Amino acid sequence: MRRTTTMLEAEMSNPTYPRHRTRRGVLTGSAAALGVAALPAWTLPRSHGGLEVLALLDAAGPFPWKSAAAFPDATTDDWARAKRLDPAAFGPDDGWNLVFRCFAVRRPGGRVTLVDTGVGPEGSPASSWAPVPGRLPDALSEVGIAVSDVERVVLTHLHEDHYGWAVLPDGTPMFPDARYVVQHAEVASLDAGSSSISYVVDPLRRAGQLHEVQGRVRVPAAGGSLTLLPTPGHTVGHQSVLVEGGRRRILITGDVLVHAVQLAAPEVSYALEADPATARRSRLALLELARERRALLATAHLNHPFIEPR
């Protein structure tokens, strides 16, 4: 999601909603003002010897576009179902309230794969429209993750609100021991003058930490595995992540789903998708995979992080 580019979840009253919330601190500011969970992390505890998935709240705030403009083909019934799924997404005057969330997958021994890095600090490319500064460094600290614990950073795509903390303002990689993993198609699709190249791709290349992959890739990990799944459409090289080896399989969706209306009606397109038809196919396929694998969806922009697929 980005201003020139994109929320969902079941309410906590849903009997299938996981109750494993861990309070490690309180988030102030725009998140509290919006009424979203003022917590840095929601955790799905690991099974014995398995993986642990933590949802880390980087920021929250209103999106610059009105909901109807962002999803012009959604019907009145679609909006009514979406409001039941995620009432906090609906602000006054057709406003769209959203959160910006990253996910940490922690394996036995404490090493971590981080999926996405949020909006970043003041002055990051997302600053022109997103609520900065983000608080990912504090959220990591509050759940006991040091930057040196992060061995891998998976970037679902190269939009401003997903790579903001990948590097520090001076271009130094925030996670010095990590390999940053992105689909080759995503990097290849960028315009030469893109801030994605100057802010994150070039600095990571210079540091020798950018790792481009092609297609579906399974990454074994002690206690389970992560599988990178190409889910194009929102961007050319968008990828999602299937986590296996914890209490539940988890599908980290990235921006395949950006609003509850796309869970209520998966055919609904987002106005700023690069390829709406391809994005629709990816969304339908990902939801079907989640149902087949009995996986929870882990979403970046919804007011609760984990949800059962519909």
Side-chain angles (χ1 to χ4, degrees), residues 7-81:
M7 205 165 187
L8 78 85
E9 266 278 271
E11 297 177 67
M12 290 181 63
S13 58
N14 187 323
T16 63
Y17 187 78
R19 300 285 175 172
H20 311 299
R21 184 172 68 176
T22 301
R23 185 168 189 138
R24 305 289 180 96
V26 177
L27 179 67
T28 59
S30 58
L34 288 175
V36 302
L39 300 168
W42 294 64
T43 303
L44 285 185
R46 73 185 92 201
S47 57
H48 180 71
L51 302 177
E52 178 185 34
V53 179
L54 302 96
L56 305 172
L57 186 61
D58 185 48
F63 193 64
W65 284 33
K66 301 295 187 181
S67 298
F71 305 94
D73 54 344
T75 68
T76 300
D77 286 345
D78 295 337
W79 287 119
R81 283 182 287 157

Side-chain angles (χ1 to χ4, degrees), residues 125-289:
S127 294
S128 64
W129 63 273
V132 295
R135 64 178 315 276
L136 179 61
D138 289 337
L140 289 167
S141 177
E142 289 157 351
V143 295
I145 297 175
V147 294
S148 58
D149 293 331
V150 178
E151 62 183 350
R152 184 182 301 108
V153 177
V154 175
L155 297 173
T156 60
H157 61 298
L158 293 175
H159 280 170
E160 299 160 350
D161 54 320
H162 289 258
Y163 65 66
W165 287 107
V167 297
L168 300 174
D170 65 358
T172 302
M174 181 173 171
F175 304 98
D177 300 326
R179 172 179 283 190
Y180 289 74
V181 183
V182 65
Q183 288 285 331
H184 172 74
E186 184 75 356
V187 177
S189 70
L190 297 173
D191 295 332
S194 167
S195 61
S196 302
I197 292 181
S198 59
Y199 188 85
V200 67
V201 172
D202 284 348
L204 292 176
R205 276 184 174 152
R206 286 194 296 269
Q209 291 179 237
L210 185 68
H211 183 64
E212 298 179 37
V213 297
Q214 298 194 59
R216 183 181 181 120
V217 176
R218 184 176 181 272
V219 182
S225 67
L226 291 79
T227 303
L228 311 184
L229 304 170
T231 46
H234 183 75
T235 63
V236 173
H238 189 284
Q239 62 184 345
S240 303
V241 183
L242 174 64
V243 182
E244 299 179 281
R247 179 168 296 187
R248 287 284 302 271
R249 292 186 176 96
I250 306 293
L251 258 173
I252 303 174
T253 65
D255 278 1
V256 172
L257 294 163
V258 298
H259 192 289
V261 74
Q262 293 184 299
L263 185 63
E267 298 81 6
V268 169
S269 295
Y270 171 52
L272 297 176
E273 288 166 338
D275 183 339
T278 300
R280 186 180 304 114
R281 289 193 293 271
S282 289
R283 188 160 44 252
L284 291 168
L286 197 71
L287 290 171
E288 180 62 26
L289 177 64

Side-chain angles (χ1 to χ4, degrees), residues 93-118:
D93 300 321
D94 195 34
W96 175 13
N97 299 330
L98 70 163
V99 301
F100 300 82
R101 189 179 288 113
C102 315
F103 290 88
V105 182
R106 183 157 52 189
R107 60 181 175 86
R111 299 292 280 170
V112 169
T113 294
L114 184 64
V115 181
D116 288 332
T117 64

